[in-house]
Amino acid sequence: MTLVLNIRDLQLAFKSWSGTSEVLHGISLTIGKGERVALVGESGSGKSVTARIVLGLLQELRGVQISGSVEFQGQDLGAMPDRERRALRGTAMSMIFQDPTSSLNPVFKIAPQFQEVLARVTPGISMSATRVRATDLLREVAIAEPERVLDSYPFQLSGGMNQRVMIAMALANRPALLLADEPGTALDVTVQAQTLDLMRALVTDHGTSVLFISHNLGVVREFADRTYVIYRGNIVEEGPTRDVFENPGHPYTRALMAAQPKITGGGLPDLVEGDRHYLEPRFVHEGVA
Amino acid sequence: MSLLSLRQLGKSFQTGAHEVRALQDVTLDVADGECLAIVGESGSGKSTLANLVLGLFPPTTGAVEFDGAELPVVRTLAHRRSIQLVQQNPASALNPRRSVGASLQLALDVHGIGTSDTRPARVAELLRDVGLPEDLARRSPTSLSGGQRQRVAIARALACESRLVVLDEPTSALDVLVQAQVLRLLADLRARHNLTYLFITHDLAVVRNIATRVAVFSQGRMVELAETETIFTAPQDPYTRRLISAVPVITEEEKTMRNGLSQS
Ligand SMILES: Nc1ncnc2c1ncn2[C@@H]1O[C@H](COP(=O)(O)OP(=O)(O)OP(=O)(O)O)[C@@H](O)[C@H]1O
Ligand SMILES: Nc1ncnc2c1ncn2[C@@H]1O[C@H](COP(=O)(O)OP(=O)(O)O)[C@@H](O)[C@H]1O
Ligand SMILES: [Mg+2]
Ligand SMILES: [Mg+2]
């Protein structure tokens, strides 16, 4: 299988006036063409930063130390000039951000924001062409009134509608690699199922590969071919999704499964002794939940 | 006795040339001490309903009654005190320039709860109540984890000694282990302080294990209202059935239950 993404021994540290914090301690992860791979783990474990490195966003920040290698379609991203790496963003690879405010601009209506996304592969696309294409894309994510949504500011839409707008934008240019960071947290389960179907269709029709970051274990179980479990900056378990769920090997993976409430009832999950140390935040930094 | 009553409540918005009927004709009684879950389609008016209950904007039709009396469009301080909100995003809910202790203290000041002598002790007590160490009062909210921040937001709701807490997706930004803790805390506080919850969420597994009743919303309307057990074992409305049969699950037992519903 050809690898679309090949991460080898990736280490990341943030340097600041108060010292250095090591966030990734040498993680390795691969995604083949047309493969759906999940990355699960507690908040702060390093999921979003991994995706941000792949997208080339952290490399441009000050105080960031990265070692190891990230290859995208056989090319070493570390060796690539900034300009080339930026040109991949929003075209060959795109990301659904966890936080809507990092991809939707509150002071612009949705239509011009769509135009900017589409212009990355169709430079100079007109507003009328944008609206036609955006309308189709919004319908795909179960938006019932695309016209109204295009004429709205983000604050005029519900949380789940904004999230769907971001999903539609990320899929717009049919990327080879989709980085989906907690893509369904604000969606009801029927719309969520529909967006998962859409991502599956992208995988089958365009051979897109997906890195699917989520703390929703049910969704991971249904969507991913393979699952990596990350714990405090280390990959502690990896395998076909079915195996990871049926025979979790690491105590942390077992703790995650046990903490998931069940739709069959049985009460709120009990935290077993020993979970406590999984709960202590490892790093606390400004602005990251 | 019902603590909160919604009477033919409705809200429309105007966006340019488009009229949005966000919420239509909702009549609903919330009993004192219950945990009513509000679930349903994204964009179906759940947050709009929450905002109407909180009095953040006036309804287009209908009224909100609290503790037997109709709430005015412009709420008094006492009204604002008795209904509190806990939002999804713990990051934006707390002022980053104020320490945790100062935020809690401010809530006490605004509502004139206690005296300047007793307030610091009350702040410490509130933190303990939500399972946080007292010395966290000095920290800035930006230095806290998501779960800790959500506990502080809950402590602030408790500070006001409110009777009704509106929870709008309070745990959806948290990972499962932290979520499990926060859910325990919420269940516990409701029992200890006889609180009433309006619990808005997309997570039906959470609903099953925490709610007394469930209201299901679709396209701006309430399509079903029933005991939690009934919603999950004998849902009546076609939308409710679709919703439950779309829940992603991890165990075979859950899969069997879900598939049973989608066939019947
Ligand atoms: N300030 C506003 N101006 C215009 N339209 C609005 C405004 N607030 C909400 N709406 C519209 O009202 C409808 C209901 O929105 P609401 O936020 O209540 O949905 P929700 O049920 O909470 O959805 P979600 O599950 O996605 O959070 C949506 O169509 C939304 O676009
Ligand atoms: N720009 C940044 N500066 C300093 N620390 C950061 C930055 N971004 C993330 N971190 C830290 O890196 C760790 C991993 O964060 P993240 O990848 O966002 O976690 P998650 O697994 O929840 O997505 C956290 O401890 C976070 O505080
Ligand atoms: Mg993250
Ligand atoms: Mg909402």
Side-chain angles (χ1 to χ4, degrees):
Chain A
M1 185 157 54
T2 50
L3 290 183
V4 168
L5 186 67
N6 187 0
I7 299 178
R8 286 283 135 225
D9 197 26
L10 186 63
Q11 307 195 16
L12 165 70
F14 291 101
K15 276 178 87 168
S16 72
W17 53 270
S18 57
T20 301
S21 63
E22 291 172 19
V23 169
L24 296 176
H25 305 278
I27 69 164
S28 297
L29 177 154
T30 62
I31 307 183
K33 187 166 160 56
E35 203 183 13
R36 302 181 297 228
V37 171
L39 181 59
V40 302
E42 86 209 296
S43 109
S45 59
K47 305 179 298 292
S48 298
V49 288
T50 302
R52 283 173 175 272
I53 291 174
V54 173
L55 204 63
L57 292 177
L58 287 187
Q59 287 83 335
E60 296 174 10
L61 290 184
R62 277 193 299 141
V64 172
Q65 291 179 335
I66 299 173
S67 68
S69 74
V70 180
E71 281 181 13
F72 173 65
Q73 296 181 324
Q75 281 183 292
D76 184 355
L77 288 182
M80 206 182 265
D82 283 356
R83 247 188 73 248
E84 261 178 61
R85 204 175 49 216
R86 272 185 221 140
L88 296 174
R89 223 180 278 162
T91 56
M93 53 167 98
S94 66
M95 179 151 170
I96 302 168
F97 286 93
Q98 178 170 13
D99 170 17
T101 54
S102 53
S103 55
L104 290 179
N105 188 329
V107 304
F108 291 108
K109 291 183 178 174
I110 302 299
Q113 302 198 49
F114 244 111
Q115 189 173 28
E116 205 178 301
V117 169
L118 295 174
R120 292 194 67 94
V121 290
T122 319
I125 186 171
S126 70
M127 187 44 99
S128 57
T130 296
R131 292 189 74 98
V132 171
R133 176 94 179 98
T135 301
D136 286 345
L137 290 163
L138 288 173
R139 281 199 203 285
E140 285 185 347
V141 290
I143 292 281
E145 304 161 278
E147 289 293 333
R148 195 250 298 181
V149 168
L150 289 171
D151 291 334
S152 297
Y153 292 98
F155 83 88
Q156 294 173 317
L157 303 174
S158 79
M161 291 162 86
N162 279 320
Q163 201 164 46
R164 282 182 275 168
V165 168
M166 294 193 299
I167 296 175
M169 285 177 176
L171 304 187
N173 294 326
R174 308 304 187 210
L177 176 65
L178 176 67
L179 306 159
D181 194 359
E182 313 276 5
T185 41
L187 301 179
D188 68 78
V189 288
T190 55
V191 171
Q192 187 179 59
Q194 201 164 336
T195 60
L196 292 179
D197 283 344
L198 194 63
M199 288 188 223
R200 280 193 200 99
L202 199 66
V203 169
T204 347
D205 302 345
H206 301 271
T208 297
S209 309
V210 185
L211 179 64
F212 192 84
I213 297 174
S214 180
H215 52 237
N216 186 328
L217 297 174
V219 172
V220 166
R221 164 121 221 202
E222 295 193 1
F223 184 75
D225 305 316
R226 247 171 354 106
T227 297
Y228 289 83
V229 181
I230 182 171
Y231 175 60
R232 301 194 175 183
N234 292 292
I235 300 290
V236 294
E237 181 155 8
E238 179 270 326
T241 301
R242 207 192 152 93
D243 295 355
V244 172
F245 278 80
E246 284 176 10
N247 283 307
H250 194 275
Y252 177 65
T253 317
R254 288 198 288 273
L256 282 183
M257 311 270 171
Q260 173 70 46
K262 308 284 183 288
I263 56 158
T264 41
L268 290 173
D270 283 312
L271 286 177
V272 289
E273 253 338 284
D275 286 355
R276 296 249 157 251
H277 80 271
Y278 294 130
L279 283 163
E280 289 150 19
R282 190 181 56 130
F283 292 123
V284 272
H285 287 283
E286 305 242 317
V288 177
Chain B
M1 229 284 280
S2 64
L3 181 65
L4 177 77
S5 300
L6 312 181
R7 298 271 162 264
Q8 279 123 37
L9 198 61
K11 179 73 187 174
S12 299
F13 295 100
Q14 196 72 36
T15 303
H18 313 274
E19 201 209 359
V20 190
R21 301 175 123 193
L23 196 69
Q24 293 180 61
D25 195 27
V26 173
T27 294
L28 173 67
D29 286 304
V30 184
D32 197 4
E34 88 167 313
C35 174
L36 178 74
I38 306 218
V39 305
E41 209 170 7
S42 157
S44 64
K46 305 180 296 298
S47 297
T48 301
L49 183 146
N51 291 335
L52 289 169
V53 169
L54 290 157
L56 299 184
F57 42 61
T60 312
T61 64
V64 178
E65 288 169 18
F66 185 76
D67 210 11
E70 185 172 324
L71 290 175
V73 169
V74 179
R75 302 281 166 91
T76 63
L77 195 59
H79 291 133
R80 280 191 275 140
R81 175 175 164 182
S82 49
I83 306 179
Q84 289 292 313
L85 171 71
V86 175
Q87 283 164 304
Q88 169 177 5
N89 192 345
S92 61
L94 298 163
N95 186 336
R97 279 185 293 275
R98 232 176 249 140
S99 72
V100 164
S103 274
L104 295 177
Q105 176 101 27
L106 183 67
L108 297 173
D109 292 345
V110 165
H111 295 288
I113 301 167
T115 64
S116 49
D117 292 344
T118 61
R119 280 173 203 152
R122 177 70 183 134
V123 166
E125 190 183 9
L126 286 165
L127 289 171
R128 273 200 309 276
D129 213 9
V130 296
L132 292 172
E134 287 169 33
D135 58 10
L136 204 122
R138 287 193 299 272
R139 307 245 307 258
S140 143
T142 52
S143 75
L144 306 182
S145 72
Q148 289 176 324
R149 256 179 254 163
Q150 203 54 301
R151 283 170 191 265
V152 173
I154 294 167
R156 195 176 47 183
L158 292 178
C160 299
E161 292 159 20
S162 63
R163 297 173 62 194
L164 175 68
V165 184
V166 178
L167 301 138
D168 196 350
E169 305 190 38
T171 61
S172 60
L174 307 176
D175 65 64
V176 278
L177 281 161
V178 179
Q179 165 176 279
Q181 277 193 320
V182 172
L183 290 174
R184 280 262 158 201
L185 173 69
L186 286 172
D188 203 50
L189 290 172
R190 181 166 73 93
R192 274 195 283 137
H193 300 290
N194 186 37
L195 298 171
T196 304
Y197 289 164
L198 264 190
F199 197 114
I200 303 175
T201 179
H202 287 303
D203 193 328
L204 291 160
V206 167
V207 168
R208 172 100 208 220
N209 294 289
I210 203 167
T212 45
R213 287 192 303 159
V214 184
V216 183
F217 281 73
S218 171
Q219 299 183 2
R221 292 180 186 276
M222 183 170 76
V223 296
E224 188 162 2
L225 171 67
E227 303 285 313
T228 305
E229 187 66 15
T230 313
I231 288 284
F232 284 90
T233 53
Q236 296 305 306
D237 188 82
Y239 177 74
T240 311
R241 305 175 87 85
R242 261 200 291 143
L243 200 63
I244 293 173
S245 47
V247 177
V249 297
I250 59 172
T251 63
E252 288 306 318
E253 188 195 2
E254 292 175 287
K255 218 172 264 180
T256 312
M257 167 190 151
R258 190 187 63 180
N259 295 350
L261 275 181
S262 55
Q263 272 144 30
S264 61

